[in-house]
Amino acid sequence: MKISLLFVLLVLAFPACFGTYVWNTKYTINPSTTDSSILDSQSGVLGYGPHTVYVNTTDTNLLTQNLFVFLPGTYAETGGYEYIVNSATLYGWKGIGLAYNNTDDPSFLDLCGGAGLLQQNCQIGYRLDTIRGTSYITPPNSINYRLYKLLLYLHAQHPAQGWSRFFTGTTGTSSNADQFIVWSKISFGGHSQGGGTVMVIAMYYPTQNVLMISPSGVITHYSVTNFTSENSYYMFTDQSDTTYVECLGMVTIGPFTDFSDILIVDTVQNKNYAPYHFLVTNSTSTKCTVPGGEHACTCFDTNLDLDANGHPVYEPVWLYMLGYQNPTITTTTTTSGRRPRSNSEGLLTTTDGGDPTS
């Protein structure tokens, strides 16, 4: 699907909190606390754990903030991704690290054979089960119900913080919770399995921005209507990670062929990433080059490099994908959401075969 909409830069001022890093108010909430029918974990299996919530309670715009929801990777708990969730709250969002069934039991790779559209539709079905709770995942343990009940709980516990902005009523059930969530005020991000899952959430619900970070099991073929604007999807990965190849598939054979220009963020001066949607790091930091580091160093806390003020070095990338843009930067507006190929700062292009060339 080609994009013909004029690319509009969302220009929001970066506040001065690029000074010393600040941790905002944190709530750690077991899913079962929000509803006794929701599991906190699966016996003998890693993953799940508590929800992690961050909020800037002193923000004068507290009642009108939008929400950033982040899904961990396979077997990981939300406590491993506190920087990316908290960083969103430093710049005007509320932040939730959502605990969900992120195990590989059963693995969609085992369930979904074949290739092309057949295999991809199967993957979508598996992701939808995790999101809606229709088969292997019971409805109370779906992402939709977990999020809905957490929002109700946060509103009940902290009614002055504006959590009611994200739901339309309190009578939703595990089978229709998605009808009570205000998707248009929520951006979703995820790492690894979570990155592939947020893509499917945005395919079926009209969300704000979608941050697919080192995403695994991404969808390169599909035959469903996309409810979120394609200009709202962003990908960020390490070029040495296997997920880089998966992201290449999305921009060469679909669904994001308009985003085939790739920006290496390490080479960019003054953090000007606009208007790219496919962002890549070639970091030589040991946090990225240790075994497995190339998959984790994009957002997992223990693999993040921090700057002199304690901010994650990729925080500007996360913020850009959420919608922030430094207002002092002059950028080029295009009709396709892509920067002109004549500007080669940090730019890779892909051939029809998907191979990056300098």
Side-chain angles (χ1 to χ4, degrees):
M1 183 183 300
K2 297 292 185 179
I3 294 175
S4 58
L5 296 177
L6 181 66
F7 183 86
V8 180
L9 294 177
L10 178 58
V11 180
L12 299 174
F14 274 113
C17 53
F18 272 116
T20 303
Y21 194 79
V22 175
W23 288 95
N24 277 322
T25 300
K26 174 185 175 182
Y27 308 124
T28 302
I29 303 165
N30 287 326
S32 62
T33 301
T34 70
D35 188 308
S36 59
S37 65
I38 301 176
L39 296 176
D40 293 327
S41 63
Q42 189 171 334
S43 178
V45 178
L46 296 173
Y48 294 47
H51 303 305
T52 302
V53 179
Y54 278 97
V55 59
N56 181 358
T57 58
T58 64
D59 190 340
T60 56
N61 297 315
L62 182 64
L63 297 180
T64 58
Q65 291 174 332
N66 286 335
L67 176 61
F68 174 55
V69 175
F70 187 85
L71 302 184
T74 302
Y75 298 131
E77 296 189 7
T78 61
Y81 300 91
E82 297 198 35
Y83 270 107
I84 189 170
V85 176
N86 182 69
S87 289
T89 70
L90 296 178
Y91 299 90
W93 278 264
K94 291 178 172 66
I96 289 176
L98 192 75
Y100 71 106
N101 187 329
N102 58 344
T103 69
D104 267 346
D105 186 18
S107 170
F108 66 85
L109 295 176
D110 297 328
L111 290 173
C112 301
L117 187 60
L118 175 66
Q119 196 250 12
Q120 295 284 290
N121 281 341
C122 177
Q123 287 195 33
I124 291 173
Y126 175 78
R127 302 283 190 188
L128 278 176
D129 185 24
T130 305
I131 295 163
R132 293 175 169 173
T134 56
S135 179
Y136 169 69
I137 306 298
T138 61
N141 286 293
S142 67
I143 287 174
N144 288 348
Y145 194 61
R146 286 167 172 266
L147 176 58
Y148 174 64
K149 294 301 288 190
L150 176 59
L151 293 172
L152 293 182
Y153 177 84
L154 287 167
H155 174 64
Q157 296 297 311
H158 311 284
Q161 290 183 359
W163 294 101
S164 61
R165 177 173 168 80
F166 310 113
F167 60 86
T168 58
T170 61
T171 59
T173 67
S174 59
S175 60
N176 67 0
D178 57 347
Q179 299 175 30
F180 291 80
I181 296 172
V182 183
W183 300 98
S184 62
K185 292 183 174 64
I186 306 174
S187 290
F188 285 85
H191 176 236
S192 193
Q193 179 185 162
T197 300
V198 297
M199 178 183 181
V200 177
I201 289 175
M203 287 166 59
Y204 281 84
Y205 300 102
T207 71
Q208 290 192 328
N209 286 13
V210 188
L211 288 63
M212 302 160 59
I213 304 178
S214 303
S216 64
V218 296
I219 309 302
T220 56
H221 301 72
Y222 62 83
S223 58
V224 299
T225 300
N226 196 337
F227 280 89
T228 297
S229 165
E230 288 182 4
N231 221 32
S232 299
Y233 289 82
Y234 293 85
M235 299 170 285
F236 176 47
T237 188
D238 189 296
Q239 196 170 10
S240 61
D241 187 12
T242 57
T243 62
Y244 172 72
V245 177
E246 295 192 52
C247 290
L248 277 180
M250 287 195 290
V251 301
T252 54
I253 60 176
F256 304 129
T257 52
D258 273 335
F259 302 148
S260 56
D261 287 346
I262 304 168
L263 184 69
I264 301 177
V265 299
D266 314 283
T267 66
V268 176
Q269 304 297 318
N270 69 15
K271 313 305 180 188
N272 175 11
Y273 309 122
Y276 294 104
H277 290 251
F278 190 174
L279 308 175
V280 171
T281 178
N282 277 332
S283 176
T284 58
S285 165
T286 56
K287 295 290 187 71
C288 290
T289 59
V290 297
E294 74 283 355
H295 188 57
C297 70
T298 49
C299 64
F300 192 67
D301 286 354
T302 56
N303 287 83
L304 290 174
D305 279 313
L306 307 179
D307 66 18
N309 289 317
H311 289 260
V313 295
Y314 295 132
E315 182 180 81
V317 178
W318 305 336
L319 296 174
Y320 165 70
M321 293 190 291
L322 267 173
Y324 265 87
Q325 177 63 42
N326 190 327
T328 65
I329 294 173
T330 301
T331 56
T332 302
T333 301
T334 74
T335 57
S336 66
R338 303 188 337 188
R339 191 177 194 154
R341 291 180 184 274
S342 59
N343 188 332
S344 59
E345 180 192 57
L347 178 62
L348 293 178
T349 58
T350 54
T351 66
D352 289 341
D355 296 323
T357 57
S358 58

